[in-house]
Amino acid sequence: GAGARLVGIYTPARAPAQGQAVVLANSGIVERVQGKGTFVRFVPGQSFASPMAFSGGIKIAPFEHSNNKPHRLLEHGVIKADAALCQKLGLTAENPYVYKIVRCVDVSSEVDEVDYSYVPLSVCKDHTFDCEALKTFFLHDYICRYFNEKPTHIRIFVDTPLTSDMDLSLLNAPPEKLFSWDTFLYHGNQVLAVTTTVSMPKENRPFITLEF
């Protein structure tokens, strides 16, 4: 079954692997057929009415492993978050300020993907950001290396709302055609940061690389 194949490929304990297959099935990502196995569900034209969350005992591969996705730092600095971003980060109207980091991925000299990262000033108030490091590391790696509060887990939401500060003109596609997902970094229940990735639509493209 799916649990046995996960164990064979990634060598986790069998029970957690089976449990993850159940979580995916309950989320509608895969379909379990008695006596046949577990299959990825695909419905042409399907879109989710609300963001879908993924979480588990896995980690994102380090930035250095993404040689095929050269990121370029576009801008960084303090901004005032709009209502949608405040809601994502749990900020109040009295303290709506965040440090914003924007990077893009270029493919064949065209922008293919843009990362909009936000760190509440309450989290980074005593930190001076290293521009060279921002060019090198993903945000979760950067925070692990440079912040006292280390991330304990992440959650990823797909088909997420965009915020008013995002310049989508970098991507040569109408907003309704773009694909987006949010990667939240947590320390316990505290949100340390969120990265919204906005990507050009493409079939059969890798979504994310994970290490077990």
Side-chain angles (χ1 to χ4, degrees), residues 4 14 89 114 131 140 171 175 181 208:
R14 182 179 179 85
L89 293 170
V114 183
C131 296
H140 66 279
L171 296 159
W181 63 93
I208 200 165

Side-chain angles (χ1 to χ4, degrees), residues 24-35:
L24 292 172
N26 291 340
S27 299
I29 300 169
V30 300
E31 182 179 5
R32 310 186 83 190
V33 180
Q34 183 70 29

Side-chain angles (χ1 to χ4, degrees), residues 32-106:
R32 310 186 83 190
V33 180
Q34 183 70 29
K36 293 185 178 181
T38 304
F39 306 90
V40 175
R41 295 183 71 243
F42 173 71
V43 180
Q46 180 186 36
S47 61
F48 298 99
S50 59
M52 179 182 296
F54 299 81
S55 61
I58 52 182
K59 60 180 180 178
I60 302 177
F63 189 92
E64 299 92 304
H65 293 185
S66 300
N67 295 328
N68 62 325
K69 296 178 64 176
H71 280 70
R72 178 162 52 94
L73 181 64
L74 297 179
E75 65 173 278
H76 60 101
V78 176
I79 67 163
K80 182 178 181 180
D82 67 6
L85 185 54
C86 284
Q87 184 175 17
K88 285 185 181 184
L89 293 170
L91 302 178
T92 63
E94 292 74 28
N95 189 20
Y97 294 95
V98 299
Y99 199 89
K100 176 183 177 182
I101 304 155
V102 182
R103 298 187 302 184
C104 70
V105 175
D106 297 327

Side-chain angles (χ1 to χ4, degrees), residues 5-196:
R5 286 194 292 276
L6 286 172
V7 170
I9 298 172
Y10 300 111
T11 63
R14 182 179 179 85
Q18 290 176 329
Q20 290 298 320
V22 171
V23 170
L24 292 172
N26 291 340
S27 299
I29 300 169
V30 300
E31 182 179 5
R32 310 186 83 190
V33 180
Q34 183 70 29
K36 293 185 178 181
T38 304
F39 306 90
V40 175
R41 295 183 71 243
F42 173 71
V43 180
Q46 180 186 36
S47 61
F48 298 99
S50 59
M52 179 182 296
F54 299 81
S55 61
I58 52 182
K59 60 180 180 178
I60 302 177
F63 189 92
E64 299 92 304
H65 293 185
S66 300
N67 295 328
N68 62 325
K69 296 178 64 176
H71 280 70
R72 178 162 52 94
L73 181 64
L74 297 179
E75 65 173 278
H76 60 101
V78 176
I79 67 163
K80 182 178 181 180
D82 67 6
L85 185 54
C86 284
Q87 184 175 17
K88 285 185 181 184
L89 293 170
L91 302 178
T92 63
E94 292 74 28
N95 189 20
Y97 294 95
V98 299
Y99 199 89
K100 176 183 177 182
I101 304 155
V102 182
R103 298 187 302 184
C104 70
V105 175
D106 297 327
V107 175
S108 299
S109 73
E110 292 186 359
V111 175
D112 182 70
E113 184 178 295
V114 183
D115 289 342
Y116 302 90
S117 298
Y118 308 94
V119 185
L121 289 193
S122 58
V123 174
C124 64
K125 59 184 178 182
D126 298 322
H127 177 73
T128 300
F129 282 87
D130 184 329
C131 296
E132 292 304 312
L134 290 175
K135 297 175 184 178
T136 307
F137 302 116
F138 283 131
L139 186 61
H140 66 279
D141 277 338
Y142 184 96
I143 289 178
C144 283
R145 291 168 186 255
Y146 294 99
F147 281 48
N148 292 326
E149 295 283 3
K150 308 300 184 185
T152 55
H153 62 286
I154 68 171
R155 297 185 75 196
I156 299 175
F157 294 79
V158 300
D159 284 347
T160 53
L162 306 180
T163 52
S164 60
D165 62 279
M166 297 178 180
D167 179 9
L168 301 180
S169 64
L170 294 168
L171 296 159
N172 188 25
E176 63 272 13
K177 296 292 185 181
L178 298 173
F179 176 56
S180 65
W181 63 93
D182 283 350
T183 303
F184 283 83
L185 298 181
Y186 289 88
H187 177 82
N189 294 324
Q190 179 189 13
V191 177
L192 297 180
V194 62
T195 295
T196 299

